[in-house]
Amino acid sequence: MPADASAAPPAATPAVPETNLLARAYLLMHTAAEMAALYEAQKTVASRYVHATARGHEAVQLAAAFLLTEHDYATPYYRDDALLLGLGLRPYELMLQLLAKRDDPFSGGRTYYSHPSLRRPGMPIIPHQSSATGMQAIPATGMAQAIKYLEGQKLKINREAPASELVPAEVASPTSAKPLVLCSIGDGAMTEGEVSEALQMAVLHQLPIVYLVQDNDWGISATGKEMRAMDAYEFAAGFPGLHRVRVDGADMVSSYIGLREAFSHVRQRRGPALVHAKCPLLGHHTSGVRREWYRGDNLTEHQLNDPLPRLHRRLRHTGASEADLVALVEQARATVAADWAAALAAPDPDPATFADHEFAPPAVLEEAGERAPAGAPKALMVDAALHAVDDILREFPEALFYGQDVGGELGGVFREAALLAKKYGDRRVFNTPIQEAYIVGSTAGMAAVGVRPIVEIQFADYIWPALNQLVEELSKSCYLSLGKFPVPALIRVPVGAYGGGGPYHSGSIESTLLTIRGIKVVYPSNAADMKGLLRAAFLDPNPVVLLEHKGLYWSKVPGTEDAKTVEPAAGYVIPLGRAAVAQAADADALRRGSTCVVITYGMGVHWARTASRAYPGRVEVLDLRTLNPLDWDGVRAAVRRHGKILVLTEEPLLNSFAESLAGRIQTHCFLELDAPVRTLGAANLPAIPLNVELEKQMLPSAEKVGVVLGELLAY
């Protein structure tokens, strides 16, 4: 069990685990092996849904499970069924997930075998994670970062699901246990770039996390030699401050001693450790990729290192009788057979529940607080956002704000976090590396521990590295965990074009985001809405992306003066999913049927209002404010009022949200229309050109909107 050279040498030979612990491991190893054998024997039933088993990895997984406590957090990966047995899960419970049964305790039949999400007294918390290889490293590291923050602030770690009504965090008692995070991962996943982001943050902030790397020298059909220049232990040497340990993952004693040393290091020093465990792969990669298709002699070689006979020999050497060991094997076999019969007979999910838990219930249901306090001055949108975050940080000690350049002296490239780091300290408002995936993905881990993150992507054009985490980890968590693990995360993203921002700082991304189910997308057009929507987005127990148009921040763009409004009082909130009439049509014109409505958001509100001056009293402007959830009732009511509709966006129009909404209106409101639904957006080009004249040609404008309004009102 060599460790890195920086570690102090042990004072004495590490103690071997007690015999009763080894006997328990023997029982559970055989339980896991019996399950794998049964699944193979019953493959016409068991392989209906793809699964992987721990066969060959049982020793190191059980060693890790035995060292975890009820105060800890864990992110097992899809081969970790032996680890789950070691934590106390019954074979029956795992079989319910394998067979996609109603009472599957993790997902109610919604996700794959050995994909746990668990909040159960006496066990570590296991948040939802995806099958995407290596993705769990970032949320797991986010959990460790949240633990370190709460410990540093002497705040209580919240082990309950995020509530719809948020209350300030409690102060921890001085006897609170020191938890850690176990991130279990395969060696093939270590080549993922997002794993490097996680390790970087773990060593940069010295976080309490153990990365357990199970190395069986295979990806699917590709070997380690094909996929990597080094193993995970060697790779970890490039991260100074990451304590490294090697173990024989097929030997229970080596695994337990090595992991115990790593766990002790993390618990005492509150810094990260990586344990590299070499394991044989004795089962299939998954039930859908069978070992006999490509393993050949390699499978025979791996079987020589089977952890079951190795533990059998060790127990016999320590005095266990053959009869006792045979009895444990028979006990495992009988348990697995009985649990399989019960799982087969268990009910399937009720099809009527298929849509449950898309989102956790919203926290804000009605507008509340003062929108326009008497005597209050007007505020810029950027300042309203700054003040909203300031209010949140003051009120909720579990709230953090982080991203690129938002901390320190600068306070954001748009000064949207100015002085917040000075006011609240760099533990609460801090800079991250240039790691969009970590910025977004860490919020899932933060939320699981009870921290409420506000994060920022510096420009919309740079959000794409974060989409893995946003799609795989954040958006699916509430649905696939049956509501146990919603992710309350506020993700701020400056968007939009104006004045020569060019192709990499001007993008509009709402249509892409709106194809991701399980996240909310908010887009304010003025300072008052910014303050109310930002607070509601923070309080919401779901992932919310807040799109903030750079051209509206300071109201310097001609025609955007109305984005500057009287600033609401602290605590003002607007419920998500409720549109607002930004400009009403004249009642007489409405009675005559000579009006139309522009349905839009963001900069479109200001283009529409400016263009409407040529048609006084005849144009209503409906500001959607939230794109998901969409205020469909508000849209239909506007359609009924006017019968003539323009859907306006800044995005390139083809295949956009605007075209989708126009199609929905055309389908569901056809009899209420007096004219075809019109749409207007940017030209269908891949980027915003740098030259301001070229930019003007590509984008919508008040003048272009005015032309369409004239045509629409002529019907």
Side-chain angles (χ1 to χ4, degrees), residues 379-389 526-528 530-531 534 567-568:
L380 297 169
M381 265 185 68
V382 70
D383 289 337
L386 170 65
H387 299 158
V389 174
N526 61 70
M530 170 67 88
K531 192 166 188 181
L534 191 153
E567 183 172 358

Side-chain angles (χ1 to χ4, degrees), residues 620-638:
E620 176 180 311
V621 179
L622 184 70
D623 183 355
L624 293 175
R625 301 198 294 191
T626 301
L627 308 184
N628 187 36
L630 176 70
D631 186 356
W632 178 238
D633 290 341
V635 169
R636 292 200 68 161

Side-chain angles (χ1 to χ4, degrees), residues 93-173:
E93 294 177 291
L94 302 184
M95 292 167 178
L96 289 175
Q97 188 173 48
L98 175 75
L99 299 170
K101 294 292 189 173
R102 182 193 69 189
D103 297 328
D104 155 27
F106 309 131
S107 73
R110 296 181 178 193
T111 197
Y112 293 128
Y113 180 72
S114 198
H115 284 59
S117 54
L118 191 68
R119 292 183 187 271
R120 184 176 291 182
M123 292 187 184
I125 285 180
I126 305 177
H128 161 268
Q129 67 183 58
S130 74
S131 288
T133 307
M135 298 302 100
Q136 73 269 38
I138 284 179
T141 307
M143 283 188 266
Q145 190 167 9
I147 288 169
K148 181 157 187 175
Y149 167 71
L150 293 173
E151 287 179 349
Q153 299 295 300
K154 295 183 170 54
L155 295 171
K156 183 178 179 181
I157 293 175
N158 179 17
R159 298 179 66 82
E160 303 299 325
S164 58
E165 290 190 15
L166 185 60
V167 294
E170 299 177 27
V171 176
S173 65

Side-chain angles (χ1 to χ4, degrees), residues 14 16 82 164 278 352 356 372 400 453 469 472 505 512 542 649:
V16 173
S164 58
K278 197 75 174 181
D356 292 356
L400 299 180
Q469 293 290 329
E472 301 295 351
H505 298 81
T512 299
N542 300 286
T649 181

Side-chain angles (χ1 to χ4, degrees), residues 339-427:
D339 283 6
W340 179 249
L344 287 173
D348 289 322
D350 179 353
T353 65
F354 82 102
D356 292 356
H357 305 292
E358 177 191 7
F359 290 114
V364 177
L365 301 177
E366 297 295 336
E367 184 175 5
E370 290 186 86
R371 182 178 177 92
K378 285 192 173 183
L380 297 169
M381 265 185 68
V382 70
D383 289 337
L386 170 65
H387 299 158
V389 174
D390 191 1
D391 292 341
I392 288 166
L393 292 172
R394 182 175 62 253
E395 187 176 346
F396 299 101
E398 66 270 39
L400 299 180
F401 182 35
Y402 57 95
Q404 296 167 30
D405 300 304
V406 302
E409 296 292 328
L410 183 62
V413 295
F414 301 105
R415 303 293 289 153
E416 72 283 5
L419 303 180
L420 290 181
K422 284 183 173 290
K423 187 171 184 178
Y424 295 101
D426 58 11
R427 289 184 177 181

